[in-house]
Amino acid sequence: MSTSTASRQMGDIMTDTGVPTITLAVPMPGFPAHREFALVRLHEEGLLYAFTSIQDPELRFLVAPPEPFFPDYAPEIENDVLAALNTHDPNRLLLLVVISAGVNETTANLLAPIVVDQDSKRAIQVILNGTHLPVRAVMNRTY
């Protein structure tokens, strides 16, 4: 099984024409009817986004690029994920981690990032099997 390391920069995903629509190659677990999502910026520095269902705008996930919070996070992405996204260039991938905001702490799911191909705007949430990455990693950046 072959792997590649994904890029972690937001870069070109945001367009001048508005909010990008991202199509999931495979629906997120528990949400089989939702494949189209808008990536809505919530923070002017691009640290937080709402990953919002086009079909049901009430369904949204708080997501962030991991780099500002977890600078050493660089998971290996399996080639079958690249194939599902119809890409061969791991440098064009964007990682987003799903965030859980709590009263006392905010955590990120490092075990199951959303991987987005910046060119096609196709995405998939992957579970990084064989790793010891946490589902609830405490976010340590102050604003």
Side-chain angles (χ1 to χ4, degrees):
M1 195 176 297
S2 189
T3 61
S4 299
T5 301
S7 169
R8 295 167 285 161
Q9 304 201 9
M10 287 302 283
D12 301 331
I13 196 76
M14 299 302 292
T15 65
D16 294 334
T17 59
V19 176
T21 299
I22 296 171
T23 302
L24 291 174
V26 176
M28 292 174 75
F31 302 95
H34 302 275
R35 288 185 157 238
E36 301 288 324
F37 285 80
L39 189 60
V40 181
R41 184 180 301 208
L42 300 176
H43 185 271
E44 66 184 48
E45 291 180 29
L47 295 178
L48 296 173
Y49 293 82
F51 194 63
T52 305
S53 171
I54 300 294
Q55 294 88 348
D56 178 6
E58 295 294 315
L59 176 63
R60 57 186 175 253
F61 300 91
L62 184 60
V63 298
E67 189 171 53
F69 306 98
F70 306 99
D72 296 330
Y73 182 72
E76 295 294 316
I77 303 300
E78 301 289 338
N79 281 342
D80 60 340
V81 172
L82 298 177
L85 297 176
N86 296 325
T87 188
H88 299 288
D89 186 359
N91 293 322
R92 297 299 301 151
L93 298 179
L94 162 71
L95 294 179
L96 296 170
V97 293
V98 178
I99 308 240
S100 295
V103 174
N104 295 318
E105 65 184 14
T106 298
T107 62
N109 181 346
L110 300 184
L111 183 63
I114 299 170
V115 181
V116 182
D117 176 52
Q118 295 186 68
D119 296 321
S120 69
K121 308 292 190 280
R122 286 175 52 89
I124 188 169
Q125 185 177 30
V126 298
I127 297 173
L128 302 170
N129 293 318
T131 69
H132 297 288
L133 293 167
V135 173
R136 291 185 179 95
V138 176
M139 298 179 75
N140 293 318
R141 181 179 166 113
T142 57
Y143 298 98

